Amino acid sequence: MDERALRVAEAIRSAGADWVILTAPASVSYATGHGEPAGAGRSPFAGGPAVAIVSARGETVLVAADADLDPGAVRADATRTYPAFALPPGGPGLDGLYLAAVAAALAETGAGGTVAIEPAACPDGVLRLLEGVTTVDVAAGLRDARATKTAEEVERLRACAALTAVGQRAARAAAVIGMT
């Protein structure tokens, strides 16, 4: 099991929860490897932010628009997608497809009991799916979990620092008095 998923699981248990529903892009990426497409906010072809459902044992399920999913990058144990470009005629629209996919994933996982969420990032529609369920805030625990880097993350940070050093050396070599 991925070390990051295990750290999320520890944050879940520390919050006194059985599950977590992650909706902040950084948290979803940390838990599953899924990256939201770059740009100016959420894709207009997505019904909502990607969702990671993680158990206190570290099992992960990712819910995302089919057009946004990169199967080679995702570390989740399972994925559930919904159509982003080919909406069914007369169907529920993107928001409805999104919420139906999240609801199905919640049902399939059996998520319940006490569920941890990130209150500042959890969409109203997802909160409505959790009505009647006890929720707790896990944002601080996730922040702390992400602060300690895995060996893989340290290696990637070192590679980034080395590339940055190359650019800084080139800039210093090219700099002359009066240059703007």
Side-chain angles (χ1 to χ4, degrees):
M1 186 169 291
D2 181 74
E3 185 175 350
R4 286 161 285 211
L6 292 174
R7 288 184 181 178
V8 172
E10 177 57 33
I12 295 167
R13 293 189 301 272
S14 293
D18 305 299
W19 296 86
V20 69
I21 310 301
L22 302 173
T23 49
S27 299
V28 172
S29 178
Y30 184 80
T32 69
H34 173 71
E36 288 286 307
R42 191 179 88 206
S43 166
F45 301 106
V51 174
I53 303 168
V54 185
S55 77
R57 294 179 308 279
E59 298 133 342
T60 58
V61 175
L62 172 68
V63 179
D66 58 0
D68 295 340
L69 190 64
D70 178 0
V74 172
R75 299 183 310 271
D77 296 308
T79 57
R80 176 170 271 285
T81 61
Y82 60 93
F85 290 116
L87 296 177
L94 280 173
D95 290 352
L97 292 170
Y98 167 74
L99 291 174
V102 174
L106 289 169
E108 289 167 5
T109 60
T114 300
V115 176
I117 61 169
E118 300 168 286
C122 195
D124 289 341
V126 174
L127 288 174
R128 283 192 300 275
L129 294 175
L130 297 174
E131 285 180 0
V133 174
T134 301
T135 60
V136 295
D137 186 343
V138 74
L142 287 173
R143 183 189 60 239
D144 293 349
R146 289 193 308 262
T148 303
K149 302 304 176 203
T150 66
E152 177 188 358
E153 289 168 323
V154 168
E155 186 57 37
R156 288 181 179 195
L157 288 168
R158 285 184 176 140
C160 289
L163 287 173
T164 300
V166 169
Q168 289 175 341
R169 282 192 297 274
R172 279 195 307 271
V176 294
I177 294 173
M179 181 181 205
T180 59

